Amino acid sequence: MARPRPFVAGNWKMNGLRSSAAEMIRIVQGARALTAVDLMICPPATLLGLFASIVEGSPVRLGAQDCHTQSNGAFTGDISAEMLKDAGASAVIVGHSERRTYHKETDADVRAKGLAARRAGLCAIVCVGETRTERENGRALAVVRTQLEGSIPDGATADNLVVAYEPVWAIGSGLTPTPADVAEMHGSIRQLLRSQFAEEGAGMRILYGGSVKPSNAKELLGIADVDGALVGGASLKADEFLAIAGVYR
Ligand code: 13P
């Protein structure tokens, strides 16, 4: 099967105000030259509506950063997958390590959110990744495997599931795993996807995330079974995000 089409997504986390529209406009303008890669920005939910009007007619898609499992109801402060779709998102990140850490989300929670995303017609970007201690103890592959087995909804397709491997220790730290470690992990994730979803699993995108920058993007994105990136800090600046995505030409 042909390599999946590359995908570079920016996770803005809890950053961005209406004044960030200028940066989003720059991303949309630069995206027109990047025809070999799918591009997405996941702003805070407060900006989805505004950004939806900016990306209209462009190849840039919008994603959200989390969703509730239910479609509506008495859940003060939460946002459902249906609401995100209605606001202009076509995907939602679920199980980011910051949600797993600060909001105590379990694999079962992540799976339920992934199913909610599918119910609403959103693609779920499921995040997994080991801590520094887990890697030092030689448990990285096993930890990620367990996370995937618990987090990925049954019956997923290459259109409604993307996996993002984000080593917790690489997020926002400037550190990245060695290319050999990335290759080993992505190969292991691919194997698991293939064993669970057969040929469909060969077409699912596996993103790398954690301190991706213009200076290391070429090396990281050139690794086998790395089908793109989930970019945090560098996605807040149009020129950096576009330089990363520009690796795909
Ligand atoms: P950084 O690119 O800032 O390390 O963040 C990665 C990340 O958590 C993306 O979801």
Side-chain angles (χ1 to χ4, degrees), residues 11 13 93 96 98 127 166 170-173 209-212 230-234:
N11 174 9
K13 309 190 180 185
I93 298 168
H96 191 281
E98 287 148 18
C127 298
E166 301 204 308
I171 295 175
S173 64
S211 296
V212 179
L230 184 53
V231 184

Side-chain angles (χ1 to χ4, degrees), residues 9-198:
N11 174 9
W12 278 23
K13 309 190 180 185
M14 198 171 74
N15 296 289
L17 301 171
R18 291 174 64 83
S19 55
S20 313
E23 211 61 34
M24 191 64 210
I25 290 168
R26 278 193 279 277
I27 290 174
V28 166
Q29 285 167 343
R32 297 190 196 279
L34 302 175
T35 53
V37 52
D38 290 339
L39 294 175
M40 176 176 285
I41 292 292
C42 304
T46 47
L47 292 178
L48 277 174
L50 174 63
F51 283 13
S53 62
I54 295 174
V55 302
E56 205 178 318
S58 91
V60 181
R61 297 281 168 267
L62 296 177
Q65 301 172 13
D66 178 49
C67 66
H68 195 272
T69 56
Q70 302 294 311
S71 56
N72 61 279
F75 302 101
T76 301
D78 282 315
I79 304 178
S80 73
E82 282 79 357
M83 291 168 171
L84 298 169
K85 167 111 176 163
D86 186 52
S90 56
V92 58
I93 298 168
V94 293
H96 191 281
S97 66
E98 287 148 18
R99 304 279 328 166
R100 291 177 186 263
T101 302
Y102 303 133
H103 297 268
K104 308 279 178 282
E105 290 187 10
T106 63
D107 290 335
D109 295 330
V110 178
R111 183 198 293 260
K113 290 181 178 205
L115 286 168
R118 190 191 306 168
R119 181 190 65 219
L122 298 179
C123 171
I125 303 173
V126 175
C127 298
V128 292
E130 83 284 358
T131 62
R132 180 189 294 276
T133 312
E134 287 162 347
R135 177 153 290 275
E136 284 169 358
N137 293 343
R139 293 175 48 226
L141 291 179
V143 164
V144 167
R145 207 178 171 80
T146 303
Q147 287 177 335
L148 284 171
E149 285 167 353
S151 307
I152 291 185
D154 292 335
T157 68
D159 286 333
N160 65 26
L161 177 74
V162 170
V163 172
Y165 167 57
E166 301 204 308
V168 178
W169 54 272
I171 295 175
S173 64
L175 304 171
T176 53
T178 65
D181 285 343
V182 174
E184 182 184 43
M185 182 62 79
H186 280 242
S188 164
I189 294 171
R190 176 70 66 206
Q191 210 174 33
L192 185 134
L193 293 176
R194 288 192 78 126
S195 69
Q196 193 169 345
F197 301 107

Side-chain angles (χ1 to χ4, degrees), residues 232-244:
S235 73
L236 293 166
K237 301 212 176 75
D239 55 347
E240 292 191 25
F241 181 70
L242 293 167
I244 293 165

